[in-house]
Amino acid sequence: MTDALLPASPEKKDDGYFRKGCNPLAQTGRSKLQNQRAALNQQILKAVRMRTGAENLLKAATNHKVREQVRLELSFVNSDLQMLKEELEGLNISVGVYQSTEETFTIPLIPLGLKETKDVDFSVVLKDFILEHYSEDSYLYEDDIADLMDLRQACRTPSRDEAGVELLMSYFLQLGFVESRFFPPTRQMGILFTWYDSLTGVPVSQQNLLLEKASILFNVGALYTQIGTRCNRQAQAGLEWAMDAFQKAAGVLNYLKETFTHTPSYDMSPAMLSVLVKMMLAQAQETVFEKICLPGIQNEFFMLVKVAQEAAKVGEVYQQLHTAMSQAPVKENIPYSWASVACVKAHHYGALAHYFVATLLIDHQLKPGTDEDHQEKCLSQLYDHMPEGLTPLATLKNANQRRQLGKSHLRKAIAHHEESVRGVSLCKKLRNIELLQEVLSVAHQRSRLKYTQHQEDDDLLNLIDAPDIISKTEQEVEIIVPQFSKVTATDFFQKLGPLSVFSANKRWTPPRSIHFTAEEGDLGFTLRGNSPVQVHFLDPYCAAALAGAKEGDYIVSIQNVDCKWLTVSEVMKLLKSFGEDDIEMKVVSLLDSTSSMHNKCATYSVGMQKTYSMICLAIDDDDDKTGKTKKISKKLSFLSWGTNKNRQKSASTLCLPSVGVVRPQVKKKLPSPFGLLNSDSSMY
């Protein structure tokens, strides 16, 4: 993204110049942040290469002085890598860029940054495959290949709204069609997909579509988190949208974890995705608390009980999140600032819970006409157990006991507040977030002031340990499964024919031309199937059979009219329309699939752990020219998509067999090709 150029006519933007859902010209803080991330990725890649070379030299060197020199250089490289990692972590916690622009007094939420990728040229490989596998003229599909490449480029800069999410999902669904059409399970296609880890900046490359599909899904989840953090949380509707966005983000990331279980990137490992799902649900639960508090917290007994238990619920989920972030192997790669935020919020909301309980105990004495039974029930359900020597009803009736128990909650609230403030002071990134420090400071001072108002000289002699508060919520957040069926995606390559027959895992004979005439209106065969139709009940002595037709042949064209999408009745009507004239019918026969050794997918990663079974590969923008998919024509900037499409006119490396040109006319909706996703067919 750092080498992006502006298109020649940006004034066309309002006339549909850019694809819906992406806006690469928007100079927002987020786009600048993504540019910084891309530059950091390159620096990290360079440093990782240097470290790999130094480690290899250290293993090979036998001279003591050389080994010492290499160790010294290695220490410098590791230091540089650590500094780059901290800088990348700073971008990941850039809450000022992603948060709402409204004047708010709320604790910032954590968004995920989008994964970056390199350019991919589909043109030569797909053209060759169309010629070799489908025996069709590749020039007929140049626009379709360009559409695919335009869509991929547009996905690199999605807009932060539902249109951007729909753009990414449409490309993800399109990849399902592309995989079924062009990626047979028994061979490599030679297209190298490279994506950068969003947390470490380390590039990972694969020669199949699994990394591409997984990375797009990750970006869908990341975009939802950016939408959630951008919502105005000072309005009821904004809080509803934020909660919905975080639940959808959790659903996408959880789907990614369950579907793509062997992704080699750190940020998409099952352990990391589990933590990210917990983080999204914790932030959704936080918005539930904010939604309850938005109208204002009335100083009333039952309202305070409700708010206290809601705050305890938020503190509990953040404590569980911090525990998960502190476990290996996630601990080594999760940004330290994220773990710090989880710890700070766990203490902050725990402190709020104790403060609200203290307020209801100290400020609300039992008066005549008060519903004692209801208050006793609420107080008994507030704790697992009452402090030793106290009972709910006796405590409610005894003003001194209520005050002493309330002050014990205040002391515990102050202790939690102090821990949250200390957690911020220990993290450099959090110290730079003034709003966070202000919110924590105000809450801390409020608890201290209330304790000071009720402090007595003999408090040290009447210490009561405040019991833990049982967490409870009126709205339990949940994972929202991604609804791919709501996104419309048309197969760019549907002219090749129905996907149930014309796919990469099936092979046919080259199209054969059958010249015959109907004798007295009798074709000599019947038809069966539905798009494409097959020759059935073939009379072995009819003109079609003598011309080379076989039972079971698929009819692909009649007199250069494409028949791959026609039904039995439509094909029969077309055949009979020629009467006794000569008919040229082209057919293909399905070949038996021969078993072959499945080529394992080669996965390349720089600096990855051996547990991923990776091998190091030097990847650089300059090295792209040496890949298997060399670009024949100069590729325009990724900003040049839209109506002014990036039409790749690369010449194919294969020759077209001597068959007639098939010019399809009819397009119909295709069945879903996503059996690989292990999802119910109703989803698509």
Side-chain angles (χ1 to χ4, degrees):
M1 293 183 64
T2 55
D3 57 350
L5 300 176
L6 296 180
S9 303
E11 65 273 4
K12 296 182 181 179
K13 178 173 59 176
D14 298 332
D15 299 327
Y17 184 86
F18 295 120
R19 188 182 294 273
K20 180 182 178 182
C22 90
N23 187 8
L25 290 184
Q27 293 298 318
T28 61
R30 181 182 71 98
S31 63
K32 295 176 183 177
L33 203 66
Q34 290 299 114
N35 287 337
Q36 296 176 38
R37 185 189 302 277
L40 273 178
N41 287 339
Q42 296 300 319
Q43 295 180 50
I44 290 174
L45 173 58
K46 182 179 179 180
V48 168
R49 281 179 174 166
M50 293 178 64
R51 184 179 66 178
T52 303
E55 289 174 345
N56 292 336
L57 181 58
L58 187 63
K59 294 177 182 177
T62 56
N63 186 282
H64 178 71
K65 290 185 178 181
V66 173
R67 291 177 63 86
E68 288 298 322
Q69 183 66 27
V70 172
R71 286 194 183 97
L72 180 61
E73 294 293 337
L74 195 56
S75 66
F76 282 113
V77 172
N78 286 328
S79 177
D80 289 341
L81 268 175
Q82 184 61 31
M83 293 177 63
L84 291 172
K85 182 180 178 181
E86 291 178 0
E87 191 173 349
L88 185 63
E89 177 185 331
L91 297 184
N92 290 329
I93 197 63
S94 295
V95 292
V97 174
Y98 291 101
Q99 304 302 313
S100 171
T101 55
E102 303 290 335
E103 292 292 334
T104 61
F105 190 71
T106 52
I107 298 181
L109 300 173
I110 301 175
L112 298 179
L114 299 180
K115 292 173 69 69
E116 296 291 333
T117 183
K118 288 186 177 182
D119 288 339
V120 173
D121 188 356
F122 290 97
S123 56
V124 174
V125 172
L126 296 193
K127 286 179 181 180
D128 286 351
F129 194 80
I130 289 172
L131 289 172
E132 172 195 354
H133 189 77
Y134 294 101
S135 300
E136 294 201 29
D137 284 305
S138 60
Y139 77 87
L140 294 174
Y141 296 89
E142 284 184 342
D143 287 347
D144 303 313
I145 295 173
D147 285 339
L148 176 64
M149 296 175 64
D150 289 341
L151 179 58
R152 186 183 192 273
Q153 296 287 35
C155 288
R156 297 178 68 174
T157 53
S159 57
R160 192 167 48 233
D161 50 27
E162 286 295 333
V165 172
E166 185 175 349
L167 175 72
L168 293 176
M169 282 193 171
S170 64
Y171 179 58
F172 174 75
L173 296 179
Q174 192 64 229
L175 288 175
F177 292 117
V178 171
E179 185 173 33
S180 298
R181 295 281 191 192
F182 302 107
F183 286 79
T186 57
R187 58 181 271 196
Q188 298 285 347
M189 291 300 294
I191 300 179
L192 194 65
F193 299 96
T194 301
W195 287 84
Y196 292 89
D197 191 294
S198 66
L199 302 180
T200 65
V202 175
V204 176
S205 298
Q206 277 190 344
Q207 290 193 33
N208 64 18
L209 280 176
L210 293 182
L211 177 63
E212 181 88 349
K213 293 165 74 174
S215 299
I216 290 295
L217 273 183
F218 183 92
N219 278 358
V220 172
L223 199 58
Y224 271 128
T225 68
Q226 296 178 14
I227 293 173
T229 55
R230 197 68 172 174
C231 291
N232 178 17
R233 288 152 61 202
Q234 293 299 303
Q236 193 76 13
L239 285 170
E240 291 283 354
W241 293 337
M243 181 176 65
D244 183 67
F246 284 118
Q247 290 180 112
K248 287 181 177 178
V252 173
L253 296 175
N254 188 65
Y255 179 83
L256 174 59
K257 181 190 69 172
E258 294 178 349
T259 307
F260 299 89
T261 56
H262 297 93
T263 50
S265 186
Y266 283 136
D267 54 0
M268 296 190 293
S269 64
M272 181 64 73
L273 288 174
S274 296
V275 170
L276 294 180
V277 169
K278 290 180 183 293
M279 186 169 74
M280 297 308 117
L281 293 178
Q283 296 189 132
Q285 193 68 56
E286 187 176 359
T287 60
V288 173
F289 174 78
E290 292 177 342
K291 189 170 63 172
I292 293 173
C293 299
L294 184 62
I297 302 174
Q298 299 178 1
N299 195 357
E300 188 267 332
F301 186 90
F302 300 112
M303 180 64 180
L304 291 172
V305 169
K306 176 182 177 181
V307 175
Q309 290 190 306
E310 286 285 353
K313 178 66 176 180
V314 180
E316 179 182 74
V317 295
Y318 271 113
Q319 184 59 52
Q320 294 171 354
L321 174 62
H322 181 257
T323 301
M325 287 179 169
S326 303
Q327 304 296 320
V330 175
K331 181 180 179 181
E332 300 300 324
N333 299 299
I334 202 78
Y336 175 69
S337 52
W338 289 7
S340 299
V341 165
C343 183
V344 165
K345 289 190 175 184
H347 285 295
H348 173 68
Y349 285 102
L352 291 182
H354 285 285
Y355 172 80
F356 292 131
V357 172
T359 302
L360 70 88
L361 289 171
I362 294 175
D363 293 356
H364 297 278
Q365 305 294 336
L366 277 179
K367 297 178 181 179
T370 303
D371 190 348
E372 295 183 7
D373 293 339
H374 194 184
Q375 284 198 11
E376 180 188 10
K377 182 179 179 180
C378 284
L379 189 62
S380 63
Q381 293 178 350
L382 197 60
Y383 306 126
D384 276 331
H385 61 277
M386 291 290 293
E388 186 177 354
L390 300 181
T391 60
L393 184 59
T395 302
L396 288 172
K397 291 183 176 181
N398 189 315
N400 183 56
Q401 286 185 1
R402 289 182 67 141
R403 187 168 56 255
Q404 292 299 328
L405 182 57
K407 286 192 290 186
S408 71
H409 280 288
L410 283 176
R411 285 193 293 269
K412 204 160 190 177
I414 293 172
H416 278 297
H417 281 309
E418 290 174 348
E419 281 298 313
S420 65
V421 172
R422 189 177 75 89
V424 171
S425 66
L426 293 177
C427 181
K428 178 182 177 181
K429 304 302 179 183
L430 299 187
R431 289 200 301 268
N432 296 329
I433 305 177
E434 296 181 0
L435 179 60
L436 176 60
Q437 296 192 64
E438 188 177 356
V439 171
L440 299 180
S441 176
V442 169
H444 187 198
Q445 293 301 322
R446 182 177 59 185
S447 296
R448 288 179 62 87
L449 178 61
K450 193 168 191 66
Y451 183 78
T452 302
Q453 292 172 348
H454 299 278
Q455 189 175 13
E456 298 176 357
D457 295 337
D458 61 344
D459 280 347
L460 294 176
L461 302 177
N462 298 292
L463 291 177
I464 299 177
D465 187 21
D468 293 331
I469 301 167
I470 297 177
S471 63
K472 186 179 179 181
T473 180
E474 67 174 18
Q475 186 174 356
E476 194 80 36
V477 298
E478 58 186 10
I479 291 174
I480 297 180
V481 179
Q483 300 294 321
F484 296 107
S485 59
K486 294 183 178 180
V487 180
T488 302
T490 303
D491 182 8
F492 287 155
F493 302 93
Q494 62 178 345
K495 290 184 296 185
L496 290 172
L499 193 56
S500 59
V501 176
F502 297 99
S503 61
N505 60 355
K506 294 183 180 180
R507 296 192 64 85
W508 315 266
T509 61
R512 309 191 312 276
S513 293
I514 308 297
H515 294 270
F516 69 99
T517 57
E519 300 174 357
E520 298 180 355
D522 183 13
L523 296 172
F525 58 86
T526 60
L527 302 176
R528 69 174 180 180
N530 187 22
S531 301
V533 299
Q534 289 180 276
V535 175
H536 191 49
F537 290 135
L538 178 67
D539 182 354
Y541 299 104
C542 70
L546 295 176
K550 300 177 182 178
E551 189 165 330
D553 283 347
Y554 289 95
I555 301 176
V556 295
S557 71
I558 299 174
Q559 299 291 89
N560 290 332
V561 176
D562 181 63
C563 297
K564 292 192 290 290
W565 284 100
L566 299 185
T567 61
V568 169
S569 59
E570 291 170 335
V571 173
M572 185 61 70
K573 182 179 179 181
L574 180 61
L575 286 170
K576 290 185 176 181
S577 66
F578 295 102
E580 296 185 358
D581 295 339
D582 182 66
I583 302 174
E584 180 186 8
M585 180 174 69
K586 290 185 179 179
V587 298
V588 294
S589 299
L590 190 64
L591 298 176
D592 293 334
S593 55
T594 56
S595 59
S596 61
M597 181 65 69
H598 180 69
N599 293 331
K600 295 184 178 179
C601 171
T603 304
Y604 307 100
S605 174
V606 180
M608 301 296 290
Q609 294 179 352
K610 292 183 179 179
T611 54
Y612 286 95
S613 300
M614 300 296 106
I615 59 175
C616 292
L617 174 69
I619 307 170
D620 191 38
D621 291 335
D622 296 334
D623 297 338
D624 287 343
K625 299 177 182 178
T626 62
K628 293 185 179 180
T629 57
K630 295 184 179 180
K631 301 179 182 179
I632 306 302
S633 61
K634 182 178 180 181
K635 187 169 180 63
L636 300 178
S637 164
F638 77 92
L639 291 175
S640 301
W641 59 83
T643 56
N644 221 6
K645 292 184 181 295
N646 179 10
R647 303 304 182 194
Q648 299 292 332
K649 302 297 182 181
S650 303
S652 172
T653 58
L654 297 181
C655 297
L656 179 68
S658 56
V659 295
V661 177
V662 178
R663 299 189 181 276
Q665 302 293 332
V666 182
K667 294 183 180 180
K668 294 188 179 180
K669 187 175 181 181
L670 295 173
S672 174
F674 301 104
L676 180 63
L677 300 182
N678 297 325
S679 302
D680 295 335
S681 59
S682 59
M683 290 184 63
Y684 302 98

